[in-house]
Amino acid sequence: MAFYDVFNGDADGLCALQQIRLHTPRDATPVTGVKRDIALLDRIADGRDADITVLDIGLDRNRDSALRLLQQGARLTWFDHHVTAPPPQHPHFEAHLDASPDICTSLLVDRELAGAHRAWAVVGAFGDNLIRPAQRTAASLGLPDDALAALRTLGECLNYNAYGERVDELMFHPAELTQRMRPFDDPLRFIREDAAMDRLQRARDDDLSRAIDVRPTLDTPVAAAVILPDASWSRRVIGTFGNHLATTSPRRAHAVLVRSGAGYTVSVRAPQSAPTGADALARRFGGGGRAGAAGVETLPESEIPTLLAALGAAWR
């Protein structure tokens, strides 16, 4: 039998996979990429005698490939927290889907595994900027404040690593990070013993300081938007910067834009005081995501004024 782990390269995907493979060790072929590389099931050509675990990628973008693989004989187990149409009704399709605004894929896996590797679930939730759910989940671990802060920093750094137009813009390929993380049942040991954390934190802090220096294009009491320059550091920091803005100004909606290919990549954050609607706004421009945080892969430059107007109006 051929085993595949198909996962988003961000903190949530990485930490969801880490929990599953600590619980059920398996030599599986990794299928992953940058955060916005979502149509990952297209990469599996043959579903015959295949057992596929799918983590933190939207079903709607992969539905045709999922149906193809099921028809070929594959077994799919799917954990995800993005809004989706009803899943396929098939005896070999096991769905763990929940689009609630206070859930992420790592927390779904934690629920399924009854907290067996909860510290990694906390890291994934922090990486997805679900601060309060992460703190609530961590309460049962009894961690001191400095240890909890370290888990938050790790989640934010793992998430930072996933953003880029291509994997060569990242500090680490997500598949490499899974292998570096795999031996560690305790994420605090990973922080202490693997050099990846130090490299990620230094790069993230440097990129974030540059982003903070860019003046907003939109700056109102209800919404703010920043257009970052066309540079690799901008594409790396877009998600981290969006989360930073959302956390430091929780009553405002935010958008961060950066040139990518023929248009602009957009990262949208709903106000943390009312964390719904980001996915609906992104879908108006061909994107998607979850209620609190969403994005648009390619926004034509001519559509920027329309998006900024929609951002200002959506949470007024």
Side-chain angles (χ1 to χ4, degrees):
M1 177 169 283
F3 296 104
Y4 297 90
D5 287 333
V6 182
F7 58 99
N8 197 309
D10 69 359
D12 195 21
L14 289 167
C15 293
L17 179 61
Q18 177 72 352
Q19 293 173 79
I20 287 175
R21 290 295 159 250
L22 285 172
H23 191 265
T24 308
R26 176 178 291 174
D27 186 12
T29 300
V31 181
T32 188
V34 299
K35 180 176 178 64
R36 298 189 189 281
D37 195 353
I38 297 169
L40 294 173
L41 283 188
D42 292 350
R43 300 187 190 175
I44 303 178
D46 189 353
R48 289 176 295 179
D49 202 29
D51 191 320
I52 305 170
T53 301
V54 185
L55 302 164
D56 199 38
I57 62 171
L59 174 59
D60 288 348
R61 290 286 300 274
N62 291 273
R63 188 176 296 269
D64 289 346
S65 290
L67 292 173
R68 170 181 58 80
L69 292 167
L70 288 168
Q71 290 167 359
Q72 292 172 344
R75 180 179 298 275
L76 274 71
T77 304
W78 205 299
F79 289 84
D80 186 51
H81 65 125
H82 299 93
V83 175
T84 184
Q89 297 301 305
H90 192 284
H92 290 166
F93 189 91
E94 179 183 335
H96 303 265
L97 307 176
D98 187 342
S100 303
D102 60 349
I103 201 76
C104 64
T105 305
S106 290
L107 294 179
L108 285 175
V109 172
D110 178 71
R111 180 192 299 172
E112 177 67 14
L113 300 183
H117 304 285
R118 179 155 290 167
W120 280 110
V122 171
V123 174
F126 274 132
D128 234 25
N129 207 37
L130 296 179
I131 307 304
R132 290 179 182 174
Q135 292 168 336
R136 288 196 300 268
T137 304
S140 66
L141 300 175
L143 296 171
D145 289 346
D146 60 342
L148 190 60
L151 296 186
R152 178 172 179 172
T153 300
L154 174 59
E156 292 170 349
C157 287
L158 292 176
N159 209 55
Y160 156 80
N161 183 73
Y163 285 88
E165 190 171 353
R166 306 174 309 275
V167 291
D168 61 11
E169 290 188 323
L170 310 182
M171 298 296 107
F172 297 93
H173 194 295
E176 178 187 349
L177 277 180
T178 66
Q179 294 306 308
R180 298 180 78 128
M181 292 162 55
R182 190 61 49 81
F184 296 96
D185 58 354
D186 180 359
L188 294 172
R189 280 189 55 231
F190 174 75
I191 293 170
R192 293 192 302 267
E193 297 179 20
D194 193 288
M197 177 62 178
D198 181 62
R199 180 180 174 190
L200 286 173
Q201 188 168 3
R202 285 187 287 106
R204 183 199 64 157
D205 291 350
D206 183 55
D207 288 350
L208 184 58
S209 67
R210 296 194 219 185
I212 290 171
D213 287 339
V214 178
R215 291 188 62 183
T217 298
L218 174 71
D219 190 2
T220 75
V222 298
V226 180
I227 301 177
L228 298 178
D230 182 1
S232 293
W233 71 263
S234 297
R235 289 182 282 274
R236 285 195 302 268
V237 84
I238 182 173
T240 296
F241 187 41
N243 290 341
H244 167 81
L245 293 173
T247 301
T248 55
S249 188
R251 296 187 178 277
R252 295 205 292 182
H254 296 89
V256 182
L257 297 82
V258 63
R259 170 71 74 175
S260 179
Y264 285 77
T265 296
V266 186
S267 190
V268 179
R269 297 292 183 271
Q272 290 192 344
S273 59
T276 60
D279 54 338
L281 187 144
R283 284 197 298 270
R284 291 173 56 182
F285 298 90
R290 55 185 174 86
V296 181
E297 290 183 28
T298 305
L299 181 78
E301 187 168 3
S302 61
E303 288 287 307
I304 291 178
T306 305
L307 180 134
L308 297 183
L311 182 75
W315 288 275
R316 183 171 298 165

